[in-house]
Amino acid sequence: MTIMRSKEDLRALYGHPKPIPTNKVIDHVDDYCQRFIALSPFLVLSTQGKDGLVDISPRGDAPGFVEIENKISLLIPDRRGNNRIDTLENLIENPAIGILFLVPGMDETLRIQGVAEIETDSELCAHFSVQNKTPKSIIRVKAQEVYFQCAKALMRSKLWAGDYAIERSSFPAMGEIMKAHTQLDGPAETREEMLERYKDMMY
């Protein structure tokens, strides 16, 4: 087993990037990025807590659910979840954040790194209300590094083509998995029961 121990060893193995990957990073959300964000119904947030562990959290809603406050700041509503609030607790301890935006049908993705703060202004939260449900907080992201990621990863995965899509029934229901992981008594929640429960919990 050979373990890499230095950046020099990594560069000796991989070589150096060409000018475009090196120079493509910008420090603001330009018109191209704004258009991509407006089309995106799904993103993944990455934060890190005081313990050093990295948390990754998916967020999704109708395209445009992330708003552009200005060329530096984005606003992301914190929709109803399970109240673990790992992302929010991490941001209290460490404001660093990374975001990956996806747009169905596009193999390119958009990456934003920066810092974030948690906003609870009532008028701002009300602006993001859906189905008369108002988020308790808004994550304001201040971009520092912004760039488009090339298409190769999604092309290899054939994510939008559906080549690797499975029948959902071929994988255990989440209720069965949660029962095993939590070791709780009682019957496992069926997928039908879960979907019915989510109807009133989506926002």
Side-chain angles (χ1 to χ4, degrees), residues 38-81:
L39 293 170
S40 175
F42 183 79
L43 60 85
V44 180
L45 290 178
S46 178
T47 57
Q48 186 176 35
K50 185 170 57 178
D51 57 8
L53 292 177
V54 175
D55 179 74
I56 301 173
S57 177
R59 304 296 170 100
D61 212 329
F65 79 99
V66 176
E67 290 198 5
I68 311 296
E69 188 173 38
N70 53 55
K71 290 202 170 186
I72 299 296
S73 297
L74 312 176
L75 300 174
I76 306 173
D78 188 59
R79 298 294 184 204
R80 189 174 178 183

mmCIF file of all heavy atoms in Angstrom, residues 38-81:
data_model
loop_
_atom_site.group_PDB
_atom_site.id
_atom_site.type_symbol
_atom_site.label_atom_id
_atom_site.label_comp_id
_atom_site.label_asym_id
_atom_site.label_seq_id
_atom_site.Cartn_x
_atom_site.Cartn_y
_atom_site.Cartn_z
ATOM 1 N N ALA A 38 -30.890 30.073 -11.024
ATOM 2 C CA ALA A 38 -32.332 30.238 -11.226
ATOM 3 C C ALA A 38 -32.972 28.978 -11.808
ATOM 4 O O ALA A 38 -34.172 28.738 -11.600
ATOM 5 C CB ALA A 38 -32.595 31.428 -12.140
ATOM 6 N N LEU A 39 -32.197 28.181 -12.514
ATOM 7 C CA LEU A 39 -32.711 26.946 -13.122
ATOM 8 C C LEU A 39 -32.581 25.731 -12.205
ATOM 9 O O LEU A 39 -33.121 24.663 -12.504
ATOM 10 C CB LEU A 39 -31.956 26.660 -14.426
ATOM 11 C CG LEU A 39 -32.177 27.640 -15.573
ATOM 12 C CD1 LEU A 39 -31.175 27.367 -16.697
ATOM 13 C CD2 LEU A 39 -33.599 27.545 -16.089
ATOM 14 N N SER A 40 -31.869 25.894 -11.109
ATOM 15 C CA SER A 40 -31.531 24.746 -10.267
ATOM 16 C C SER A 40 -32.607 24.445 -9.223
ATOM 17 O O SER A 40 -32.932 25.300 -8.408
ATOM 18 C CB SER A 40 -30.200 25.003 -9.550
ATOM 19 O OG SER A 40 -29.917 23.952 -8.649
ATOM 20 N N PRO A 41 -33.118 23.188 -9.204
ATOM 21 C CA PRO A 41 -34.048 22.778 -8.157
ATOM 22 C C PRO A 41 -33.369 21.989 -7.043
ATOM 23 O O PRO A 41 -34.033 21.520 -6.117
ATOM 24 C CB PRO A 41 -35.022 21.876 -8.911
ATOM 25 C CG PRO A 41 -34.145 21.182 -9.909
ATOM 26 C CD PRO A 41 -33.053 22.174 -10.283
ATOM 27 N N PHE A 42 -32.038 21.830 -7.127
ATOM 28 C CA PHE A 42 -31.358 20.951 -6.175
ATOM 29 C C PHE A 42 -29.919 21.405 -5.955
ATOM 30 O O PHE A 42 -29.218 21.780 -6.902
ATOM 31 C CB PHE A 42 -31.364 19.515 -6.691
ATOM 32 C CG PHE A 42 -30.754 18.524 -5.742
ATOM 33 C CD1 PHE A 42 -31.462 18.044 -4.656
ATOM 34 C CD2 PHE A 42 -29.455 18.069 -5.940
ATOM 35 C CE1 PHE A 42 -30.898 17.137 -3.768
ATOM 36 C CE2 PHE A 42 -28.879 17.157 -5.062
ATOM 37 C CZ PHE A 42 -29.602 16.691 -3.970
ATOM 38 N N LEU A 43 -29.507 21.366 -4.690
ATOM 39 C CA LEU A 43 -28.132 21.681 -4.353
ATOM 40 C C LEU A 43 -27.692 20.828 -3.171
ATOM 41 O O LEU A 43 -28.511 20.224 -2.478
ATOM 42 C CB LEU A 43 -27.966 23.167 -4.030
ATOM 43 C CG LEU A 43 -28.781 23.733 -2.858
ATOM 44 C CD1 LEU A 43 -28.082 23.537 -1.521
ATOM 45 C CD2 LEU A 43 -29.066 25.210 -3.086
ATOM 46 N N VAL A 44 -26.396 20.803 -2.959
ATOM 47 C CA VAL A 44 -25.824 20.117 -1.809
ATOM 48 C C VAL A 44 -24.959 21.122 -1.058
ATOM 49 O O VAL A 44 -24.115 21.798 -1.654
ATOM 50 C CB VAL A 44 -24.981 18.905 -2.234
ATOM 51 C CG1 VAL A 44 -24.398 18.220 -1.006
ATOM 52 C CG2 VAL A 44 -25.813 17.922 -3.038
ATOM 53 N N LEU A 45 -25.207 21.226 0.264
ATOM 54 C CA LEU A 45 -24.446 22.126 1.125
ATOM 55 C C LEU A 45 -23.405 21.335 1.897
ATOM 56 O O LEU A 45 -23.689 20.262 2.428
ATOM 57 C CB LEU A 45 -25.365 22.801 2.152
ATOM 58 C CG LEU A 45 -26.375 23.843 1.705
ATOM 59 C CD1 LEU A 45 -27.180 24.307 2.915
ATOM 60 C CD2 LEU A 45 -25.675 25.017 1.066
ATOM 61 N N SER A 46 -22.210 21.898 2.018
ATOM 62 C CA SER A 46 -21.169 21.286 2.821
ATOM 63 C C SER A 46 -20.714 22.277 3.886
ATOM 64 O O SER A 46 -20.400 23.437 3.578
ATOM 65 C CB SER A 46 -19.984 20.880 1.943
ATOM 66 O OG SER A 46 -18.946 20.331 2.725
ATOM 67 N N THR A 47 -20.730 21.826 5.149
ATOM 68 C CA THR A 47 -20.265 22.646 6.264
ATOM 69 C C THR A 47 -19.370 21.799 7.152
ATOM 70 O O THR A 47 -19.311 20.575 7.019
ATOM 71 C CB THR A 47 -21.446 23.194 7.090
ATOM 72 O OG1 THR A 47 -22.238 22.084 7.564
ATOM 73 C CG2 THR A 47 -22.325 24.120 6.258
ATOM 74 N N GLN A 48 -18.688 22.463 8.070
ATOM 75 C CA GLN A 48 -17.787 21.743 8.971
ATOM 76 C C GLN A 48 -17.943 22.274 10.379
ATOM 77 O O GLN A 48 -17.911 23.486 10.619
ATOM 78 C CB GLN A 48 -16.331 21.895 8.526
ATOM 79 C CG GLN A 48 -15.348 21.066 9.337
ATOM 80 C CD GLN A 48 -13.936 21.177 8.796
ATOM 81 O OE1 GLN A 48 -13.541 22.225 8.313
ATOM 82 N NE2 GLN A 48 -13.165 20.106 8.860
ATOM 83 N N GLY A 49 -18.115 21.364 11.332
ATOM 84 C CA GLY A 49 -18.284 21.752 12.715
ATOM 85 C C GLY A 49 -16.970 21.866 13.447
ATOM 86 O O GLY A 49 -15.892 21.616 12.905
ATOM 87 N N LYS A 50 -17.071 22.242 14.728
ATOM 88 C CA LYS A 50 -15.885 22.414 15.568
ATOM 89 C C LYS A 50 -15.117 21.109 15.742
ATOM 90 O O LYS A 50 -13.913 21.109 15.952
ATOM 91 C CB LYS A 50 -16.335 22.952 16.934
ATOM 92 C CG LYS A 50 -15.227 23.304 17.890
ATOM 93 C CD LYS A 50 -15.759 24.060 19.101
ATOM 94 C CE LYS A 50 -16.837 23.244 19.811
ATOM 95 N NZ LYS A 50 -17.337 23.950 21.040
ATOM 96 N N ASP A 51 -15.832 19.985 15.619
ATOM 97 C CA ASP A 51 -15.179 18.685 15.773
ATOM 98 C C ASP A 51 -14.379 18.271 14.548
ATOM 99 O O ASP A 51 -13.710 17.242 14.540
ATOM 100 C CB ASP A 51 -16.203 17.596 16.100
ATOM 101 C CG ASP A 51 -17.310 17.485 15.043
ATOM 102 O OD1 ASP A 51 -17.205 18.148 13.991
ATOM 103 O OD2 ASP A 51 -18.278 16.742 15.284
ATOM 104 N N GLY A 52 -14.453 19.074 13.482
ATOM 105 C CA GLY A 52 -13.682 18.793 12.279
ATOM 106 C C GLY A 52 -14.397 17.917 11.276
ATOM 107 O O GLY A 52 -13.939 17.770 10.141
ATOM 108 N N LEU A 53 -15.516 17.317 11.678
ATOM 109 C CA LEU A 53 -16.261 16.471 10.756
ATOM 110 C C LEU A 53 -17.028 17.329 9.757
ATOM 111 O O LEU A 53 -17.601 18.363 10.104
ATOM 112 C CB LEU A 53 -17.236 15.567 11.526
ATOM 113 C CG LEU A 53 -16.595 14.489 12.408
ATOM 114 C CD1 LEU A 53 -17.678 13.722 13.157
ATOM 115 C CD2 LEU A 53 -15.755 13.536 11.567
ATOM 116 N N VAL A 54 -17.055 16.875 8.517
ATOM 117 C CA VAL A 54 -17.762 17.590 7.456
ATOM 118 C C VAL A 54 -19.172 17.036 7.320
ATOM 119 O O VAL A 54 -19.380 15.824 7.345
ATOM 120 C CB VAL A 54 -17.011 17.456 6.112
ATOM 121 C CG1 VAL A 54 -17.801 18.089 4.988
ATOM 122 C CG2 VAL A 54 -15.637 18.104 6.219
ATOM 123 N N ASP A 55 -20.150 17.923 7.200
ATOM 124 C CA ASP A 55 -21.544 17.535 7.017
ATOM 125 C C ASP A 55 -21.967 17.912 5.604
ATOM 126 O O ASP A 55 -21.614 18.987 5.113
ATOM 127 C CB ASP A 55 -22.432 18.251 8.037
ATOM 128 C CG ASP A 55 -23.903 17.904 7.869
ATOM 129 O OD1 ASP A 55 -24.284 16.787 8.236
ATOM 130 O OD2 ASP A 55 -24.663 18.755 7.350
ATOM 131 N N ILE A 56 -22.707 17.036 4.953
ATOM 132 C CA ILE A 56 -23.217 17.298 3.605
ATOM 133 C C ILE A 56 -24.727 17.164 3.640
ATOM 134 O O ILE A 56 -25.261 16.146 4.088
ATOM 135 C CB ILE A 56 -22.616 16.321 2.575
ATOM 136 C CG1 ILE A 56 -21.095 16.437 2.571
ATOM 137 C CG2 ILE A 56 -23.161 16.619 1.175
ATOM 138 C CD1 ILE A 56 -20.404 15.405 1.716
ATOM 139 N N SER A 57 -25.419 18.197 3.176
ATOM 140 C CA SER A 57 -26.874 18.234 3.296
ATOM 141 C C SER A 57 -27.523 18.586 1.964
ATOM 142 O O SER A 57 -27.194 19.614 1.368
ATOM 143 C CB SER A 57 -27.277 19.271 4.353
ATOM 144 O OG SER A 57 -28.677 19.381 4.458
ATOM 145 N N PRO A 58 -28.449 17.755 1.461
ATOM 146 C CA PRO A 58 -29.159 18.096 0.224
ATOM 147 C C PRO A 58 -30.276 19.085 0.493
ATOM 148 O O PRO A 58 -30.930 19.045 1.535
ATOM 149 C CB PRO A 58 -29.727 16.735 -0.221
ATOM 150 C CG PRO A 58 -29.934 15.988 1.052
ATOM 151 C CD PRO A 58 -28.840 16.427 1.987
ATOM 152 N N ARG A 59 -30.501 19.991 -0.444
ATOM 153 C CA ARG A 59 -31.604 20.956 -0.366
ATOM 154 C C ARG A 59 -32.274 21.022 -1.737
ATOM 155 O O ARG A 59 -31.589 21.042 -2.760
ATOM 156 C CB ARG A 59 -31.104 22.356 0.013
ATOM 157 C CG ARG A 59 -30.308 22.414 1.332
ATOM 158 C CD ARG A 59 -31.181 22.033 2.512
ATOM 159 N NE ARG A 59 -30.406 21.854 3.729
ATOM 160 C CZ ARG A 59 -30.295 22.759 4.698
ATOM 161 N NH1 ARG A 59 -30.901 23.927 4.567
ATOM 162 N NH2 ARG A 59 -29.583 22.495 5.779
ATOM 163 N N GLY A 60 -33.597 21.058 -1.747
ATOM 164 C CA GLY A 60 -34.290 21.110 -3.026
ATOM 165 C C GLY A 60 -35.643 21.775 -2.937
ATOM 166 O O GLY A 60 -36.290 21.761 -1.890
ATOM 167 N N ASP A 61 -36.061 22.360 -4.036
ATOM 168 C CA ASP A 61 -37.374 22.978 -4.169
ATOM 169 C C ASP A 61 -37.529 23.363 -5.642
ATOM 170 O O ASP A 61 -36.693 23.018 -6.469
ATOM 171 C CB ASP A 61 -37.488 24.206 -3.262
ATOM 172 C CG ASP A 61 -38.907 24.428 -2.757
ATOM 173 O OD1 ASP A 61 -39.857 24.069 -3.489
ATOM 174 O OD2 ASP A 61 -39.075 24.953 -1.650
ATOM 175 N N ALA A 62 -38.581 24.093 -5.943
ATOM 176 C CA ALA A 62 -38.790 24.513 -7.326
ATOM 177 C C ALA A 62 -37.637 25.401 -7.791
ATOM 178 O O ALA A 62 -37.043 26.125 -6.975
ATOM 179 C CB ALA A 62 -40.112 25.264 -7.451
ATOM 180 N N PRO A 63 -37.274 25.343 -9.075
ATOM 181 C CA PRO A 63 -36.213 26.214 -9.582
ATOM 182 C C PRO A 63 -36.453 27.664 -9.184
ATOM 183 O O PRO A 63 -37.576 28.158 -9.248
ATOM 184 C CB PRO A 63 -36.304 26.036 -11.104
ATOM 185 C CG PRO A 63 -36.850 24.657 -11.277
ATOM 186 C CD PRO A 63 -37.836 24.480 -10.148
ATOM 187 N N GLY A 64 -35.394 28.307 -8.736
ATOM 188 C CA GLY A 64 -35.509 29.677 -8.256
ATOM 189 C C GLY A 64 -35.660 29.781 -6.756
ATOM 190 O O GLY A 64 -35.759 30.887 -6.224
ATOM 191 N N PHE A 65 -35.645 28.634 -6.060
ATOM 192 C CA PHE A 65 -35.822 28.701 -4.603
ATOM 193 C C PHE A 65 -34.628 29.363 -3.915
ATOM 194 O O PHE A 65 -34.755 29.888 -2.809
ATOM 195 C CB PHE A 65 -36.097 27.310 -4.017
ATOM 196 C CG PHE A 65 -34.902 26.418 -3.832
ATOM 197 C CD1 PHE A 65 -34.301 26.284 -2.588
ATOM 198 C CD2 PHE A 65 -34.392 25.677 -4.893
ATOM 199 C CE1 PHE A 65 -33.213 25.440 -2.406
ATOM 200 C CE2 PHE A 65 -33.315 24.816 -4.713
ATOM 201 C CZ PHE A 65 -32.718 24.707 -3.473
ATOM 202 N N VAL A 66 -33.477 29.356 -4.550
ATOM 203 C CA VAL A 66 -32.337 30.130 -4.063
ATOM 204 C C VAL A 66 -32.363 31.488 -4.760
ATOM 205 O O VAL A 66 -32.382 31.555 -5.987
ATOM 206 C CB VAL A 66 -31.008 29.416 -4.343
ATOM 207 C CG1 VAL A 66 -29.825 30.286 -3.928
ATOM 208 C CG2 VAL A 66 -30.963 28.087 -3.610
ATOM 209 N N GLU A 67 -32.374 32.553 -3.984
ATOM 210 C CA GLU A 67 -32.447 33.891 -4.572
ATOM 211 C C GLU A 67 -31.082 34.569 -4.543
ATOM 212 O O GLU A 67 -30.283 34.364 -3.629
ATOM 213 C CB GLU A 67 -33.473 34.741 -3.832
ATOM 214 C CG GLU A 67 -34.899 34.293 -4.063
ATOM 215 C CD GLU A 67 -35.914 35.368 -3.709
ATOM 216 O OE1 GLU A 67 -35.491 36.504 -3.379
ATOM 217 O OE2 GLU A 67 -37.117 35.066 -3.763
ATOM 218 N N ILE A 68 -30.849 35.378 -5.560
ATOM 219 C CA ILE A 68 -29.631 36.170 -5.659
ATOM 220 C C ILE A 68 -29.898 37.505 -4.987
ATOM 221 O O ILE A 68 -30.711 38.307 -5.459
ATOM 222 C CB ILE A 68 -29.232 36.403 -7.122
ATOM 223 C CG1 ILE A 68 -29.236 35.088 -7.911
ATOM 224 C CG2 ILE A 68 -27.889 37.113 -7.203
ATOM 225 C CD1 ILE A 68 -28.232 34.091 -7.458
ATOM 226 N N GLU A 69 -29.249 37.748 -3.866
ATOM 227 C CA GLU A 69 -29.427 39.034 -3.178
ATOM 228 C C GLU A 69 -28.622 40.129 -3.876
ATOM 229 O O GLU A 69 -29.083 41.249 -4.048
ATOM 230 C CB GLU A 69 -29.007 38.897 -1.721
ATOM 231 C CG GLU A 69 -29.343 40.117 -0.886
ATOM 232 C CD GLU A 69 -29.076 39.891 0.588
ATOM 233 O OE1 GLU A 69 -28.068 39.217 0.933
ATOM 234 O OE2 GLU A 69 -29.867 40.379 1.408
ATOM 235 N N ASN A 70 -27.416 39.787 -4.262
ATOM 236 C CA ASN A 70 -26.564 40.668 -5.056
ATOM 237 C C ASN A 70 -25.464 39.796 -5.668
ATOM 238 O O ASN A 70 -25.539 38.570 -5.581
ATOM 239 C CB ASN A 70 -25.982 41.813 -4.215
ATOM 240 C CG ASN A 70 -25.284 41.313 -2.962
ATOM 241 O OD1 ASN A 70 -24.391 40.487 -3.030
ATOM 242 N ND2 ASN A 70 -25.722 41.803 -1.804
ATOM 243 N N LYS A 71 -24.478 40.364 -6.261
ATOM 244 C CA LYS A 71 -23.474 39.559 -6.968
ATOM 245 C C LYS A 71 -22.526 38.806 -6.030
ATOM 246 O O LYS A 71 -21.687 38.031 -6.492
ATOM 247 C CB LYS A 71 -22.672 40.431 -7.932
ATOM 248 C CG LYS A 71 -23.505 40.887 -9.119
ATOM 249 C CD LYS A 71 -22.650 41.274 -10.291
ATOM 250 C CE LYS A 71 -23.507 41.496 -11.525
ATOM 251 N NZ LYS A 71 -22.691 41.745 -12.738
ATOM 252 N N ILE A 72 -22.697 39.019 -4.748
ATOM 253 C CA ILE A 72 -21.898 38.301 -3.769
ATOM 254 C C ILE A 72 -22.751 37.359 -2.931
ATOM 255 O O ILE A 72 -22.328 36.263 -2.582
ATOM 256 C CB ILE A 72 -21.166 39.289 -2.832
ATOM 257 C CG1 ILE A 72 -20.218 40.173 -3.630
ATOM 258 C CG2 ILE A 72 -20.406 38.549 -1.742
ATOM 259 C CD1 ILE A 72 -19.086 39.418 -4.302
ATOM 260 N N SER A 73 -23.993 37.764 -2.627
ATOM 261 C CA SER A 73 -24.807 37.049 -1.641
ATOM 262 C C SER A 73 -25.961 36.256 -2.253
ATOM 263 O O SER A 73 -26.659 36.744 -3.141
ATOM 264 C CB SER A 73 -25.375 38.037 -0.622
ATOM 265 O OG SER A 73 -24.344 38.665 0.093
ATOM 266 N N LEU A 74 -26.163 35.035 -1.725
ATOM 267 C CA LEU A 74 -27.291 34.179 -2.075
ATOM 268 C C LEU A 74 -28.126 33.956 -0.820
ATOM 269 O O LEU A 74 -27.604 33.931 0.300
ATOM 270 C CB LEU A 74 -26.803 32.816 -2.578
ATOM 271 C CG LEU A 74 -25.711 32.766 -3.632
ATOM 272 C CD1 LEU A 74 -25.335 31.312 -3.887
ATOM 273 C CD2 LEU A 74 -26.169 33.433 -4.900
ATOM 274 N N LEU A 75 -29.417 33.744 -1.016
ATOM 275 C CA LEU A 75 -30.325 33.471 0.092
ATOM 276 C C LEU A 75 -30.960 32.099 -0.107
ATOM 277 O O LEU A 75 -31.594 31.848 -1.134
ATOM 278 C CB LEU A 75 -31.412 34.539 0.172
ATOM 279 C CG LEU A 75 -30.923 35.981 0.388
ATOM 280 C CD1 LEU A 75 -32.099 36.953 0.288
ATOM 281 C CD2 LEU A 75 -30.213 36.123 1.733
ATOM 282 N N ILE A 76 -30.783 31.227 0.875
ATOM 283 C CA ILE A 76 -31.311 29.864 0.804
ATOM 284 C C ILE A 76 -32.271 29.644 1.968
ATOM 285 O O ILE A 76 -31.848 29.673 3.131
ATOM 286 C CB ILE A 76 -30.181 28.822 0.874
ATOM 287 C CG1 ILE A 76 -29.123 29.092 -0.200
ATOM 288 C CG2 ILE A 76 -30.742 27.412 0.731
ATOM 289 C CD1 ILE A 76 -27.895 28.200 -0.080
ATOM 290 N N PRO A 77 -33.561 29.425 1.706
ATOM 291 C CA PRO A 77 -34.490 29.165 2.803
ATOM 292 C C PRO A 77 -34.206 27.818 3.444
ATOM 293 O O PRO A 77 -33.907 26.844 2.758
ATOM 294 C CB PRO A 77 -35.860 29.180 2.113
ATOM 295 C CG PRO A 77 -35.571 28.789 0.694
ATOM 296 C CD PRO A 77 -34.220 29.364 0.382
ATOM 297 N N ASP A 78 -34.279 27.766 4.764
ATOM 298 C CA ASP A 78 -34.083 26.499 5.465
ATOM 299 C C ASP A 78 -35.450 25.850 5.650
ATOM 300 O O ASP A 78 -36.152 26.109 6.623
ATOM 301 C CB ASP A 78 -33.400 26.719 6.817
ATOM 302 C CG ASP A 78 -33.016 25.406 7.475
ATOM 303 O OD1 ASP A 78 -32.245 24.657 6.855
ATOM 304 O OD2 ASP A 78 -33.505 25.126 8.587
ATOM 305 N N ARG A 79 -35.816 24.998 4.707
ATOM 306 C CA ARG A 79 -37.117 24.341 4.739
ATOM 307 C C ARG A 79 -37.193 23.326 5.884
ATOM 308 O O ARG A 79 -36.180 22.896 6.428
ATOM 309 C CB ARG A 79 -37.394 23.635 3.410
ATOM 310 C CG ARG A 79 -37.446 24.557 2.209
ATOM 311 C CD ARG A 79 -38.617 25.503 2.270
ATOM 312 N NE ARG A 79 -38.707 26.336 1.059
ATOM 313 C CZ ARG A 79 -39.308 27.513 1.014
ATOM 314 N NH1 ARG A 79 -39.884 28.003 2.107
ATOM 315 N NH2 ARG A 79 -39.348 28.193 -0.113
ATOM 316 N N ARG A 80 -38.405 22.948 6.179
ATOM 317 C CA ARG A 80 -38.679 22.055 7.302
ATOM 318 C C ARG A 80 -37.925 20.738 7.153
ATOM 319 O O ARG A 80 -37.888 20.128 6.080
ATOM 320 C CB ARG A 80 -40.182 21.805 7.355
ATOM 321 C CG ARG A 80 -40.662 21.076 8.592
ATOM 322 C CD ARG A 80 -42.169 21.032 8.575
ATOM 323 N NE ARG A 80 -42.704 20.301 9.705
ATOM 324 C CZ ARG A 80 -44.008 20.068 9.872
ATOM 325 N NH1 ARG A 80 -44.872 20.527 8.978
ATOM 326 N NH2 ARG A 80 -44.423 19.390 10.927
ATOM 327 N N GLY A 81 -37.295 20.302 8.241
ATOM 328 C CA GLY A 81 -36.554 19.051 8.223
ATOM 329 C C GLY A 81 -36.843 18.237 9.463
ATOM 330 O O GLY A 81 -37.959 18.230 9.976
#
